[in-house]
């Protein structure tokens, strides 16, 4: 219902950036002390480009991606996808590979990857083939029937990436997508990110990995709660 309201309320504006975040502020209170992690972060990502975000551990990269995805509401600032508000945007508009993965333990890899398709109205016939194709893109098709607990963390990460790309979102947000991978798997993931961008997605990748930065069209650093060009 939320999805239908969002889509009806604000039409897609292809003339506006795929992702536009302005003046993001996010504060957390811990043990009576308040920390401001985002202090006016502003970011734009256009269809077809890969933007990387680096920054020291604890600088707020995951916080930023969570806010960009619309899963967390900033204290100040706005996020839009082609002019539509981020909160409530469906998974096929913006999808996230979370740092903590968030796979459903009770479901197989294939069932996890199928979730975004099952939630999309009108998509029924082709779900199985689309899921296999997405798992194949990350080299996980052979383990489609396994449960997450039966996989290494790097394998689980690739399944979570397949879940993020399976519905070909306009905005793809990935948090440390190669953190647990060997070089062959890293190459496959980088090729997939490039393919997504070439197909028209705006890709934002949080990373410490020089290999990811190398494929970026633009590189940003989160420093003191704001984004600066590297
Ligand atoms: N829900 C929360 N409540 C309180 N503090 C939080 C919360 N989420 C994040 N923080 C704090 O915000 C800061 C930034 O955390 P975040 O996870 O965004 O960093 P990061 O840059 O992604 O780090 P890493 O590179 O280690 O993944 C940290 O100090 C963290 O403790
Ligand atoms: Mg993080």
């Amino acid at each position: 219902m939320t999805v239908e309201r969002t889509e009806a309320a604000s039409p897609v504006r292809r003339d506006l950036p795929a992702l536009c975040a302005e003046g993001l502020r996010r504060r957390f209170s811990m043990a009576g002390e308040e920390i401001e992690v985002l202090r006016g972060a502003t970011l734009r990502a256009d269809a077809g480009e890969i933007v990387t975000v680096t920054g020291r551990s604890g600088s707020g990269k995951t916080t930023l991606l969570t806010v960009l995805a619309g899963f967390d509401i900033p204290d100040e600032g706005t996020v839009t996808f082609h002019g539509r508000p981020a909160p409530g945007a469906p998974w096929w508009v913006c999808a996230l590979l979370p740092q903590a993965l968030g796979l459903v333990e009770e479901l197989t890899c294939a069932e996890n990857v199928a979730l975004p398709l099952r939630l999309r109205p009108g998509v029924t016939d082709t779900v199985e083939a689309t899921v296999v194709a997405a798992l194949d893109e990350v080299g996980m098709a052979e383990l489609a029937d396994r449960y997450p607990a039966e996989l290494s963390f790097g394998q689980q990460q690739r399944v979570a990436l397949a879940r993020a790309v399976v519905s070909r979102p306009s905005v793809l947000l990935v948090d440390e997508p190669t953190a647990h991978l060997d070089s062959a798997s890293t190459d496959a993931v980088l090729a997939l990110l490039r393919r997504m961008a070439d197909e028209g997605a705006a890709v934002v990748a949080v990373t410490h990995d020089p290999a990811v930065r190398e494929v970026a069209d633009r590189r940003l650093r989160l420093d003191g709660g704001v984004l600066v060009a590297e």
Side-chain angles (χ1 to χ4, degrees):
M1 294 306 282
T2 311
V3 167
E4 285 168 17
R5 272 204 309 277
T6 303
E7 298 211 331
S10 31
V12 169
R13 291 273 309 270
R14 292 284 161 202
D15 54 320
L16 295 177
L19 167 63
C20 185
E22 289 180 331
L24 298 178
R25 289 183 175 272
R26 186 71 176 99
R27 294 178 280 270
F28 296 113
S29 295
M30 274 202 309
E33 202 183 318
E34 190 165 89
I35 54 164
E36 191 169 42
V37 178
L38 301 179
R39 302 176 174 206
T42 289
L43 165 73
R44 169 196 173 132
D46 289 316
E49 71 171 344
I50 299 176
V51 179
T52 51
V53 177
T54 53
R56 63 174 176 74
S57 181
S59 59
K61 304 179 300 297
T62 294
T63 303
L64 173 71
L65 278 198
T66 310
V67 168
L68 292 179
F71 294 163
D72 186 22
I73 306 299
D75 295 296
E76 289 177 39
T78 56
V79 182
T80 53
F81 306 131
H82 287 297
R84 284 181 179 165
W91 198 243
W92 61 90
V93 171
C94 175
L96 172 68
L97 166 66
Q99 191 169 18
L101 305 187
L103 293 172
V104 181
E105 294 293 330
E106 293 79 9
L107 300 181
T108 65
C109 295
E111 289 165 347
N112 268 283
V113 175
L115 281 176
L117 301 176
R118 302 250 179 247
L119 293 170
R120 185 168 186 166
V123 180
T124 47
D125 298 351
T126 56
V127 167
E128 210 168 303
T130 309
V131 165
V132 172
L135 283 167
D136 199 38
E137 287 188 291
V138 295
M140 288 298 296
E142 283 179 13
L143 302 180
D145 293 330
R146 293 235 196 139
Y147 289 88
E150 298 169 340
L151 302 175
S152 74
F153 196 81
Q155 290 171 329
Q156 291 181 44
Q157 186 176 39
R158 285 184 281 151
V159 172
L161 180 59
R163 180 188 56 186
V165 302
V166 72
S167 54
R168 289 317 201 232
S170 308
V171 177
L172 174 64
L173 309 172
V174 292
D175 201 342
E176 305 281 5
T178 59
H180 306 277
L181 306 183
D182 60 20
S183 63
S185 299
T186 294
D187 288 347
V189 165
L190 296 182
L192 175 55
L193 297 185
R194 175 48 64 195
R195 196 154 55 246
M196 291 294 295
D198 288 347
E199 288 175 13
V203 179
V204 178
V206 157
T207 188
H208 291 289
D209 184 348
V212 182
R213 290 178 67 251
E214 215 157 279
V215 302
D217 300 300
R218 243 162 7 99
R219 301 180 186 92
L220 303 173
R221 190 175 74 250
L222 187 58
D223 194 358
V226 297
L227 286 160
V228 293
E230 274 201 311

